[in-house]
Amino acid sequence: MFQHRNIPVQTGSGVVKTHRPTRRRSTTTMRKTLKLSALALACSAMMPVAHATNGYMSHAYSPKAKGMAGAGEAALPQDSLSIVGNPATANQVGRRADVGFSWFKPLREYDGLTPNQATGAFAPIGGGATGTGKVESKNNDFLVPGFGYTHPINDVSSIGIAMFGNGGMNTDFRSRDTLFNLGTFGGNNPGANPPPFPGTSMQGAGNAGVNLEQLGVSLAYSRQVAEGLSLGASFLIGYQTIEVKGVGAFQGFTETFTQSVLASQMTSAVTPTKLTDNGQDSAWGFGFQVGGLWDVNPMFSIGASYRTKMYMGKFEKYADLFAEGGKFDLPPVGTIGIAVRPNDQLSLAFDVQQIWYSEVPAIANNNDLALKCDLNAAFGMPSQPGASYDSRYCLGGSKGAGFGWDDMTVFKFGAQYAMNDRLTLRAGFSYGDNPISDEQVAFNTLAPATITTHYTLGASYLLRDNFEMTFWGMYAPEDSVSGPGEFTGGQAPEIKMHQYELGVNFAWLF
């Protein structure tokens, strides 16, 4: 029968040195662990989250898998945060606590367009004399925390807790860098913000950006149900915050505004006050995750997991912006992977991950505002051929405009090599299709999640038999998406990003 094992402890003659978890612990040790857990939880709650690599999902959550580009989270568990990728791994890593931090640096920019009302070219407005110049985001450095703890209950079952984060990178595009100080989305354009109707007022200003932060807590249980086979499940608690700035010029495309104009027969309008620049809003939610891990033999393992959609409360302060009146769930995620150990020192892992962004309307709905939320069409005078008006497709409507993201499939490959009893080296590569189509460039300037490729390196060093440090580095080369598309008037603005990450994790092995 497979016993609990502490995989990270490497040996010169074997890939794994078995580290049996101690069943009893002193009151002092328990108190120290509880204090450590409380400190990590507090730090995680206070720090901004800025992980947007595979869409807005991190390339990995396990510190050791981070050095392998995310490979191994399904079938090669090596630390307590591996339960985020697969809850069945909780009884494979023994009793341990992990606390880590990483410095994350996403560099975002766009090349804009020349605004032209006659052609429908509205956004994104760039810099220079014509508006086609480059504009860079001002927020580029973030500290990202991580925490996990696993605890064996008996010889065949364990529990664990882990905290993980996702985010929208906290973009900040300043209006002073754009043509005539108009702002990326024309927030300082008095002809659009507010619309020329009695009863309206300016919303927000020219500085534009979004700050989406998502924090999840995984409460996992796993059990060995047969020789080499473990099954696990997690209850997930989610908390997210958001702040959006600089989109006041889209008042005329909200359900609130257009319906008020129709009700008044074009004599007045109601300002959508839940569209932009309302400060930070927050929401709680929950989800579930199941997984399995089968050690077929000492050389080969298979793992798989599925995380449901995380059902979140609405962002009430931005009910005029996001589809379904401010609803913003987290998408389902599925992963399947294999691990191969051809000899005592080398381990290889390959994972395939699917992220179903199509399940979240606020993310997946196309931006068809000019075609389906044309107020002129409601009065029999469409602004362009084929344009129509259906309030459901307006901002805040039940089918309201989103970012037009497609589902994303990510392939991850990683390798690790035990140099000796204490030092292990890692490397990895991942690739996933870009979820953003050319036609959806305008809105995605807010959060240009263009990254498709990651290169990683990592290492672990066992300082003492019960204390280990893990390091990793990630580089995501520049990827870009360019138009033309909605609101670009035939022009081809371009959004770009590249990323760096350096991290360290401290592990206590009990």
Side-chain angles (χ1 to χ4, degrees), residues 43-385:
C43 290
S44 298
M46 291 186 293
M47 290 181 180
V49 178
H51 257 180
T53 50
N54 293 321
Y56 61 80
M57 299 291 179
S58 174
H59 76 283
Y61 300 99
S62 157
K64 295 186 178 181
K66 282 179 175 286
M68 300 170 65
E73 287 196 315
L76 188 65
Q78 302 195 75
D79 51 57
S80 59
L81 276 93
S82 65
I83 66 174
V84 178
N86 185 353
T89 64
N91 66 344
Q92 297 289 316
V93 296
R95 185 171 65 204
R96 59 181 290 148
D98 292 272
V99 177
F101 302 90
S102 64
W103 165 73
F104 181 58
K105 189 178 185 69
L107 298 170
R108 292 74 35 92
E109 63 183 62
Y110 70 89
D111 296 326
L113 53 71
T114 303
N116 187 328
Q117 186 173 357
T119 62
F122 296 112
I125 301 170
T130 62
T132 58
K134 178 173 66 176
V135 178
E136 298 177 338
S137 176
K138 302 304 180 185
N139 288 333
N140 296 317
D141 297 282
F142 305 94
L143 189 63
V144 183
F147 165 75
Y149 175 70
T150 50
H151 184 91
I153 301 172
N154 52 45
D155 287 342
V156 295
S157 59
S158 295
I159 57 174
I161 180 173
M163 302 190 70
F164 62 97
N166 301 303
M169 299 177 301
N170 197 358
T171 51
D172 183 9
F173 298 109
R174 304 293 174 84
S175 62
R176 65 172 181 251
D177 297 327
T178 64
L179 177 69
F180 303 139
N181 195 40
L182 289 172
T184 300
F185 296 102
N188 284 335
N189 179 3
N193 185 21
F197 279 85
T200 60
S201 60
M202 183 175 180
Q203 295 295 297
N207 291 341
V210 62
N211 182 15
L212 172 65
E213 300 173 0
Q214 297 175 329
L215 179 67
V217 177
S218 174
L219 304 172
Y221 171 80
S222 69
R223 183 177 180 85
Q224 181 177 297
V225 296
E227 185 74 18
L229 177 63
S230 295
L231 300 179
S234 295
F235 177 68
L236 305 172
I237 302 171
Y239 176 75
Q240 62 180 358
T241 66
I242 198 166
E243 181 176 6
V244 182
K245 300 182 296 183
V247 296
F250 287 99
Q251 286 191 54
F253 292 97
T254 63
E255 186 174 47
T256 295
F257 172 84
T258 57
Q259 286 290 286
S260 69
V261 171
L262 288 173
S264 71
Q265 292 295 302
M266 297 189 72
T267 60
S268 64
V270 173
T271 293
T273 59
K274 298 181 178 181
L275 175 65
T276 187
D277 291 80
N278 287 324
Q280 189 179 81
D281 199 4
S282 62
W284 289 88
F286 68 94
F288 303 93
Q289 187 173 4
V290 294
L293 177 60
W294 182 26
D295 292 316
V296 181
N297 57 50
M299 296 179 62
F300 184 72
S301 301
I302 303 174
S305 75
Y306 175 75
R307 188 178 79 198
T308 68
K309 177 192 292 187
M310 290 190 68
Y311 301 90
M312 309 298 293
K314 292 184 177 182
F315 288 131
E316 298 291 348
K317 293 182 180 180
Y318 294 95
D320 286 320
L321 176 60
F322 295 119
E324 301 179 303
K327 195 164 181 57
F328 207 108
D329 294 329
L330 275 69
V333 180
T335 306
I336 185 169
I338 60 173
V340 180
R341 295 170 284 272
N343 59 46
D344 288 344
Q345 293 174 289
L346 179 65
S347 298
L348 305 173
F350 177 69
D351 287 16
V352 179
Q353 184 177 71
Q354 181 76 4
I355 307 172
W356 285 278
Y357 287 116
S358 60
E359 296 295 314
V360 183
I363 291 292
N365 288 356
N366 285 331
N367 178 357
D368 294 323
L369 293 173
L371 282 175
K372 296 182 178 181
C373 184
D374 180 16
L375 188 57
N376 288 330
F379 292 95
M381 301 175 291
S383 302
Q384 58 179 300

